[in-house]
């Protein structure tokens, strides 16, 4: 049995085989691929819309986190199946949203990163207060019942 040598096409080193590349350092610019291949910003207006959407996602993340804290605190003595499903759904939603925000920062686009940080900051300012109250109340309860 004879084996034929495998022929591999060599491409010149100065050509790019991918249609887009991502910069691995912080940069400015409105032409960006955000999270998915279909979410591309090609104009300043589409970039501004995407920044607004990312900002709202970050604020929503903080609201959802506070909502989760609130329902867990209100339902802490109950062991209902529906409540468990709700907790699991909220947990998974928070994890997905947090990873999407992290990956947005990892585009290394300064505008998008600042939208994530400022959205989280505003969200915490608006909704973080109840979490602090709940943490204080929970931590002041005696450990033994």
């Amino acid at each position: 049995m004879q084996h034929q040598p495998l022929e591999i096409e060599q491409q010149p080193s100065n050509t790019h085989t991918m249609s887009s590349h991502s910069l691995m350092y912080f940069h400015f610019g409105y032409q960006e691929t955000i999270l998915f291949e279909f979410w591309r910003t090609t104009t300043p207006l589409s970039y501004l819309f995407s920044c607004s959407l990312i900002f709202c996602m970050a604020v929503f993340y903080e609201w959802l986190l506070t909502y989760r804290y609130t329902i867990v605190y209100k339902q802490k003595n109950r062991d209902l199946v529906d409540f468990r499903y709700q907790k699991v759904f909220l947990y998974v939603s928070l994890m997905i949203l947090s990873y999407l925000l992290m990956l947005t920062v990892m585009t290394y686009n300064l505008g998008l990163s600042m939208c994530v940080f400022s959205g989280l900051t505003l969200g915490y300012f608006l909704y973080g207060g109840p979490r602090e109250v709940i943490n204080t109340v929970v931590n002041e309860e005696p450990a033994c019942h």
Side-chain angles (χ1 to χ4, degrees):
M1 178 159 88
Q2 292 186 355
H3 296 282
Q4 297 294 328
L6 181 64
E7 294 182 23
I8 300 175
E9 268 186 48
Q10 296 280 335
Q11 293 200 7
S13 62
N14 62 352
T15 61
H16 296 282
T17 57
M18 295 175 46
S19 62
S20 67
H21 62 283
S22 55
L23 301 174
M24 297 306 291
Y25 52 86
F26 283 103
H27 61 277
F28 286 105
Y30 65 85
Q31 295 182 341
E32 199 68 55
T33 301
I34 305 167
L35 299 176
F36 304 102
E37 190 173 346
F38 63 83
W39 190 355
R40 294 177 189 243
T41 58
T42 56
T43 65
L45 186 60
S46 65
Y47 179 75
L48 184 62
F49 177 74
S50 295
C51 283
S52 301
L53 186 61
I54 295 295
F55 178 84
C56 291
M57 282 173 56
V59 171
F60 178 70
Y61 171 81
E62 286 293 329
W63 176 84
L64 197 60
L65 188 59
T66 300
Y67 178 70
R68 180 173 174 253
Y69 267 79
T70 304
I71 66 161
V72 166
Y73 177 72
K74 287 181 180 178
Q75 303 288 333
K76 74 175 188 176
N77 293 328
R78 295 185 188 173
D79 193 18
L80 304 172
V81 174
D82 291 338
F83 177 63
R84 283 187 175 183
Y85 287 132
Q86 188 177 19
K87 276 177 42 179
V88 168
F89 176 75
L90 285 172
Y91 176 78
V92 169
S93 300
L94 281 166
M95 287 300 103
I96 290 170
L97 196 53
S98 65
Y99 277 108
L100 291 176
L101 291 172
M102 178 197 65
L103 289 172
T104 301
V105 171
M106 289 180 65
T107 63
Y108 293 104
N109 183 292
L110 280 171
L112 293 173
S113 296
M114 292 310 297
C115 286
V116 170
F117 301 142
S118 58
L120 290 173
T121 302
L122 179 65
Y124 183 79
F125 177 76
L126 294 175
Y127 306 114
R131 284 199 315 255
E132 296 301 321
V133 171
I134 290 169
N135 281 338
T136 303
V137 169
V138 169
N139 290 335
E140 288 179 359
E141 292 181 356
C144 299
H145 294 280

